[in-house]
Amino acid sequence: MSVALACAEGEWPHEGWPEPDDPYVERALRLDPPYRELREQGAVDVVVLRCEEPATAFPVLLKAMGAVSVPVIVVSPRRDTETVVEVFRGGAGYLVEGDYCTCMLASAVMAATVGHTYLSPIACAALREGAQRVSREGAGGVSVAGVAMERLRSLLSPRERQIMELLSTGLGAQEIGLRLTLSEKTVRNNLSNIYAKLDARGSTDAVLRWLGATPAVRT
């Protein structure tokens, strides 16, 4: 596969990744803002954006991509809930610097090619903190949003809740199946049912709803 390494500031921080003999990455393009090469260099399979401020750098990348629809993984030192939620809501994976190794980066890139939005542990914790914050707001420590989120979760069966808990920690269907001793097909069937019940467009939308990081009901 072909990977674009887009750096908003400075150089790509992992000189040893991808290695020249990487069995999966055939080509790695290093791009600087405003990333016009994304349309000039031909198709890529994944874009990895390294930036200090995702709130400004991510929109620049998306504008440069235009109609090019490929998965994006954001790498940043920012770990606050608001930043992680906005990037995740934009459909990108998120790795917090210092919270991953190159092996995890490789896994994130591979997962992105099959439609899995990857989060490093701190990024997952940030989303969960956002969900907990929502549930603590309002009179008596219970917010309208928190009640709506719990009502949404009650739509799922116990098995579906197990699957959503694992999905929200960054696991894909295959890994979830191994954890729960289920076939990957069974997990995917459950996920299809979950998406329908949560009125979610896919795994990213479902996780955001599950964690209370997006409105429970579309308007």
Side-chain angles (χ1 to χ4, degrees):
M1 65 178 170
S2 179
V3 178
L5 307 177
C7 298
E9 308 94 3
E11 298 293 326
W12 174 243
H14 302 294
E15 288 301 321
W17 190 91
E19 297 180 354
D21 60 348
D22 189 291
Y24 302 108
V25 180
E26 181 179 357
R27 182 177 66 147
L29 307 174
R30 302 200 180 189
L31 310 178
D32 296 316
Y35 317 116
R36 293 192 184 95
E37 298 91 337
L38 278 173
R39 301 191 205 186
E40 299 169 358
Q41 293 286 346
V44 296
D45 298 296
V46 182
V47 178
V48 181
L49 170 66
R50 193 277 165 192
C51 60
E52 294 288 336
E53 294 292 340
T56 54
F58 189 34
V60 171
L61 174 67
L62 293 179
K63 182 178 180 180
M65 291 172 64
V68 177
S69 180
V70 296
V72 177
I73 299 169
V74 173
V75 176
S76 174
R78 291 292 298 269
R79 57 181 64 194
D80 57 285
T81 299
E82 290 75 13
T83 296
V84 176
V85 168
E86 284 308 307
V87 170
F88 194 44
R89 183 177 286 127
Y94 200 106
L95 301 179
V96 177
E97 287 186 354
D99 186 40
Y100 70 92
C101 60
T102 53
C103 289
M104 187 182 293
L105 174 58
S107 295
V109 168
M110 291 301 298
T113 64
V114 294
H116 178 43
T117 305
Y118 199 96
L119 297 169
S120 69
I122 287 178
C124 281
L127 285 182
R128 288 182 175 279
E129 169 59 28
Q132 291 169 2
R133 189 184 306 165
V134 167
S135 68
R136 291 194 299 263
E137 292 173 352
V142 179
S143 67
V144 173
V147 171
M149 184 178 70
E150 289 306 314
R151 185 180 299 118
L152 196 72
R153 290 185 171 202
S154 70
L155 298 175
L156 305 185
S157 69
R159 174 63 81 189
E160 290 168 343
R161 290 184 204 131
Q162 283 183 314
I163 290 173
M164 277 308 305
E165 279 295 329
L166 294 173
L167 186 71
S168 69
T169 64
L171 296 181
Q174 185 176 26
E175 295 92 340
I176 293 172
L178 291 174
R179 293 284 186 93
L180 299 179
T181 320
L182 299 171
S183 70
E184 184 176 349
K185 181 179 179 180
T186 297
V187 173
R188 292 193 182 280
N189 287 339
N190 274 275
L191 287 173
S192 294
N193 292 334
I194 290 169
Y195 300 158
K197 290 180 179 181
L198 299 186
D199 190 25
R201 290 164 291 184
S203 62
T204 298
D205 199 15
V207 170
L208 285 170
R209 291 168 186 277
W210 178 255
L211 294 177
T214 195
V217 179
R218 291 184 193 171
T219 57

